[in-house]
């Protein structure tokens, strides 16, 4: 098969390869390398061991907890100690295998070990493929907040092996699809058309439509980060990397007030409906585009309503979000399909009415 990779044209360009069996390309990145450390989620230990047997290098397998518990200072320290014990040098390579938490951690370990060693990312969820693996954000959490410590560090390459998605629960595939559909709304409406034509196929691991959608979403993110890797402040209609935060202002607040019991994509789905309500009430988008948010997200089995907590709680959580600049609230909103702007400090009654509309569905 021809892989047709997506180029990420940042200062240190790299490619994202997407397809069933893409992890078979890993040995090409590791030719002549003496030592490799595979930092992997515990849940994909079998896959990590399989990859290790195919490599012509001394491999250290470093298992980390599944999900956010991977991103702690203690786990980071354990990884550094494992590298020290393996005698890991500047010419050795770190491979990150797992969901976005494992790859965020592995990228940060690669960025900091001996001030930076080569890194290859193998994301194993749709969410990690279309979001965490592209754009160089790495980091860990502190007790006081998520991603408070981190840096930008780009991989040598990203291998999105769609075969691994077959073992994911349906809800996890749908959660990743929320970020794919976000890319449709903010930049590439063909994603929405393609998804609406075959939603079941889109949620079937390694299907042709799923590959197409993931590839298009990766291409959207690649273009955005190539233009604004470090997320400079956007202003009005000139929206840089902040564009990727569509649906995330309320989405992050829902994750927080729900004690991270919601999947990321589920919270972002509700957050996108909220942003669409806000844009509609501000006269920026029409009825049809507002309705399309609800219909396409519902087709993916994602939530489009929310009334879990009082508005005041969400409002406080949003103003404390680390992405708020100062304590002023900023929303990425659409002014049409694939057209966006930043709405800073919208009127409180507009926010409250948009939130109330989420309860109604
Ligand atoms: N997840 C949003 C970004 O990478 O900027």
């Amino acid at each position: 098969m021809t892989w047709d990779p997506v180029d990420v044209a940042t200062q240190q360009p790299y490619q994202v390869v997407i397809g069933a069996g893409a992890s078979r390309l890993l040995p090409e990145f590791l030719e002549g390398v003496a030592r490799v450390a595979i930092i992997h989620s515990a849940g994909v230990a079998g896959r990590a061991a399989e990859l290790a047997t195919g490599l012509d290098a001394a491999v250290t397998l470093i298992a980390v907890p599944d999900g956010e518990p991977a991103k702690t200072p203690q786990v980071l320290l354990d990884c550094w100690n494992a590298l020290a014990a393996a005698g890991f040098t500047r010419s050795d390579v770190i491979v990150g295998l797992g969901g976005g938490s494992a790859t965020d951690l592995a990228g940060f370990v690669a960025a900091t070990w001996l001030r930076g060693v080569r890194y290859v990312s193998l994301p194993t969820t749709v969410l990690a493929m279309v979001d965490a693996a592209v754009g160089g954000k790495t980091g860990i959490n502190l007790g006081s907040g998520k991603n408070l410590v981190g840096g930008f560090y780009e991989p040598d390459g990203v291998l999105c092996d769609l075969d691994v998605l077959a073992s994911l629960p349906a809800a996890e595939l749908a959660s990743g699809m929320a970020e794919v559909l976000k890319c449709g709304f903010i930049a590439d409406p063909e994603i929405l058309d393609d998804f609406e034509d075959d939603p079941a196929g889109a949620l079937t691991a390694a299907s042709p439509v799923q590959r197409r959608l993931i590839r298009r979403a990766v291409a959207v993110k690649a273009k955005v980060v190539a233009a604004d890797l470090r997320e400079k402040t956007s202003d009005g209609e000139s929206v840089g990397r902040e564009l990727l935060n569509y649906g995330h202002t309320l989405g992050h607040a829902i994750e927080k007030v729900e004690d991270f019991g919601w999947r990321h994509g589920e919270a972002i789905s509700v957050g996108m409906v909220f942003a669409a309500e806000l844009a509609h009430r501000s006269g920026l988008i029409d009825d049809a585009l507002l309705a399309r948010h609800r219909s396409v997200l519902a087709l993916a089995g994602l939530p489009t309503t929310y009334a879990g907590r009082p508005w005041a709680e969400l409002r406080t959580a949003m103003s404390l979000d680390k992405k708020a600049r100062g304590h002023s609230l900023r929303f990425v909103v659409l002014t049409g399909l694939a057209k966006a702007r930043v709405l800073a400090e919208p009127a409180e009654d507009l926010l409250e009415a948009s939130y109330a509309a989420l309860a109604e569905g």
Side-chain angles (χ1 to χ4, degrees), residues 68 141 143 145-146 251-264 266-267 309 321:
E68 290 293 320
N141 304 329
K146 283 177 72 170
H252 282 157
I254 291 178
E255 286 183 290
K256 194 163 181 185
V257 302
E258 295 292 344
D259 279 333
F260 297 95
W262 277 47
R263 290 177 198 273
H264 178 70
E266 294 167 349
R309 299 292 170 97
D321 192 276

Side-chain angles (χ1 to χ4, degrees), residues 39 70-73 75-77 79-80 83 94 96 100-117 119 136-142 147-154:
I39 298 178
K71 294 175 61 172
T72 66
V75 176
L76 174 65
L77 188 60
C79 291
W80 283 333
L83 296 181
I94 290 178
S101 300
T103 57
D104 279 5
L105 168 76
F108 192 63
V109 174
T112 48
W113 183 254
L114 301 177
R115 299 195 180 90
V117 294
Y119 173 56
K137 283 187 179 175
T138 69
I140 59 163
N141 304 329
L142 297 182
N147 296 320
L148 288 183
V149 178
F152 288 93
Y153 195 70
E154 302 203 76

Side-chain angles (χ1 to χ4, degrees), residues 131 134 137 221 231 241 244-245 248 323:
D131 191 16
V134 184
K137 283 187 179 175
K221 182 151 190 192
E231 200 166 331
R241 186 170 181 156
L244 301 170
N245 289 345
H248 283 58
K323 295 216 169 172

Side-chain angles (χ1 to χ4, degrees), residues 4-339:
D4 190 20
V6 176
D7 292 310
V8 186
T10 42
Q11 222 171 14
Q12 288 172 18
Y14 57 99
Q15 292 192 317
V16 184
V17 179
I18 301 140
S23 54
R24 287 200 301 271
L25 300 179
L26 182 60
E28 289 179 21
F29 286 88
L30 303 174
E31 263 176 35
V33 172
R35 273 166 293 267
V36 173
I38 304 181
I39 298 178
H40 65 88
S41 314
V44 292
R47 185 121 199 129
E50 244 173 68
L51 285 175
T53 57
L55 299 180
D56 190 16
V59 180
T60 304
L61 292 174
I62 306 176
V64 299
D66 290 324
E68 290 293 320
K71 294 175 61 172
T72 66
Q74 182 58 53
V75 176
L76 174 65
L77 188 60
D78 292 344
C79 291
W80 283 333
N81 283 330
L83 296 181
F88 222 67
T89 71
R90 281 228 164 90
S91 52
D92 300 328
V93 179
I94 290 178
V95 172
L97 175 76
S101 300
T103 57
D104 279 5
L105 168 76
F108 192 63
V109 174
T112 48
W113 183 254
L114 301 177
R115 299 195 180 90
V117 294
R118 290 172 54 212
Y119 173 56
V120 182
S121 179
L122 273 70
T124 60
T125 64
V126 177
L127 193 60
M129 290 175 187
V130 302
D131 191 16
V134 184
K137 283 187 179 175
T138 69
I140 59 163
N141 304 329
L142 297 182
S144 43
K146 283 177 72 170
N147 296 320
L148 288 183
V149 178
F152 288 93
Y153 195 70
E154 302 203 76
D156 277 19
V158 179
L159 302 175
C160 302
D161 189 336
L162 302 184
D163 280 341
V164 302
L165 302 180
S167 58
L168 294 183
E172 184 55 43
L173 287 176
S175 170
M177 202 46 65
E179 289 282 358
V180 172
L181 296 171
K182 177 196 80 179
C183 292
F185 283 114
I186 61 174
D188 180 2
E190 277 188 43
I191 287 177
L192 303 178
D193 299 338
D194 214 7
F195 178 79
E196 284 164 338
D197 284 347
D198 185 7
L203 295 166
T204 302
S207 66
V209 58
Q210 187 183 69
R211 175 175 185 273
R212 230 171 21 243
L213 287 167
I214 291 175
R215 193 185 180 287
R216 290 192 89 101
V218 167
V220 167
K221 182 151 190 192
K223 191 168 170 197
V224 170
V225 301
D228 179 24
L229 183 71
R230 287 172 186 272
E231 200 166 331
K232 67 184 187 308
T233 305
S234 306
D235 190 21
E237 282 167 25
S238 153
V239 190
R241 186 170 181 156
E242 198 176 355
L243 181 62
L244 301 170
N245 289 345
Y246 187 53
H248 283 58
T249 313
L250 184 75
H252 282 157
I254 291 178
E255 286 183 290
K256 194 163 181 185
V257 302
E258 295 292 344
D259 279 333
F260 297 95
W262 277 47
R263 290 177 198 273
H264 178 70
E266 294 167 349
I268 291 335
S269 174
V270 173
M272 285 192 278
V273 176
F274 177 78
E277 283 285 350
L278 200 52
H280 186 253
R281 282 158 203 277
S282 307
L284 298 172
I285 64 169
D286 60 18
D287 295 351
L289 185 49
L290 172 61
R292 197 170 185 194
H293 278 75
R294 287 198 165 87
S295 64
V296 75
L297 293 165
L299 264 185
L302 288 161
T304 58
T305 61
Y306 182 76
R309 299 292 170 97
W311 166 242
E313 236 182 279
L314 276 298
R315 178 70 183 76
T316 304
M318 281 195 288
S319 61
L320 293 177
D321 192 276
K322 81 178 163 49
K323 295 216 169 172
R325 296 178 199 259
H327 285 299
S328 75
L329 278 190
R330 295 166 66 83
F331 294 86
V332 175
V333 290
L334 299 187
T335 55
L337 249 189
K339 285 188 235 146

